[in-house]
Every structure is written in C-alpha cells, then in structure tokens.
Amino acid sequence: MNTFVFTAYLLSQPKLTKIKHQNFCYLLVSLNNFMDNIANIKIKVFTKGKIARQVFDLYKEKNNVIIESSIYIKKTRFLNKNQKKSKIIFVKIHKIQNIYLNL
C-alpha cells in the first residue's frame, strides 16, 4: 500500500451515499502546489465507513485540510475500435485534519 500525505483545499461539498449499509463519501480537492510553473492538481478522493461520516459532518467547501491516504491505480480498457487503455487514480482517505489559519 502506498501512503500519501498532502495538504489540500476542498473544492466541493462532501457528498455522502449509502450502499448496502456502508457509508461512502466523495469530494473534489485541489493539491496545493508550491512550484511556480505548475498549476494545482484537482483530484477526486473517497472514504468509507466512520471516516466518511466524519468527513461529511465536519468539513465544508473551502476548508484547508491535511489528508493521510493511500493511492490506487486502476487500469481500464475502452471497448471501441482503438482498444485504448486508461488509468484512473483513486485516493482513499484514512485520516483527515483541519488546518486553522489565523489571518
């Protein structure tokens, strides 16, 4: 398992869904990038179980957070003439903490 710790800015309100008595939470985040010539990266992250409920209850759009997660890469094939392959990156949240900024 790959551990991935990063600071992020929440771009969307967390969305909670329940499938077979299991909570899932999805949201869109922007990875903060401190290099001048590269734009911030937008990714979709998800979590499940008790952490999904915590994310949905405690965090709002425009929060800055620190996320400890793992990365999964899933390869898919499109069923068309070209038989193209693509990779989808999933980030699963394990722990999340709010960053409080005093301005």
Side-chain angles (χ1 to χ4, degrees):
M1 176 178 15
N2 299 320
T3 303
F4 181 40
V5 179
F6 61 97
T7 58
Y9 179 77
L10 302 185
L11 295 174
S12 68
Q13 186 69 23
K15 293 168 183 59
L16 186 71
T17 59
K18 195 169 200 172
I19 301 171
K20 295 184 182 178
H21 306 291
Q22 181 77 23
N23 290 326
F24 290 92
C25 187
Y26 296 90
L27 59 146
L28 182 66
V29 300
S30 173
L31 296 177
N32 296 336
N33 190 354
F34 299 109
M35 299 187 79
D36 293 335
N37 56 355
I38 301 173
N40 289 349
I41 301 167
K42 297 176 186 175
I43 58 172
K44 289 183 182 179
V45 297
F46 75 96
T47 186
K48 64 180 184 177
K50 292 179 183 178
I51 299 172
R53 192 68 180 165
Q54 175 191 4
V55 169
F56 181 73
D57 290 340
L58 296 178
Y59 300 102
K60 306 285 184 222
E61 187 177 352
K62 299 182 182 178
N63 283 21
N64 283 313
V65 293
I66 297 174
I67 297 175
E68 180 182 331
S69 61
S70 56
I71 298 175
Y72 300 96
I73 299 174
K74 183 178 178 182
K75 296 179 183 177
T76 59
R77 285 188 185 182
F78 294 109
L79 299 175
N80 61 10
K81 296 176 187 175
N82 298 332
Q83 293 294 325
K84 292 183 180 178
K85 294 180 183 178
S86 70
K87 295 178 183 175
I88 301 172
I89 299 173
F90 293 99
V91 176
K92 181 182 176 189
I93 297 173
H94 298 295
K95 293 181 184 175
I96 186 167
Q97 292 287 0
N98 212 356
I99 299 176
Y100 298 103
L101 299 175
N102 294 331
L103 299 175

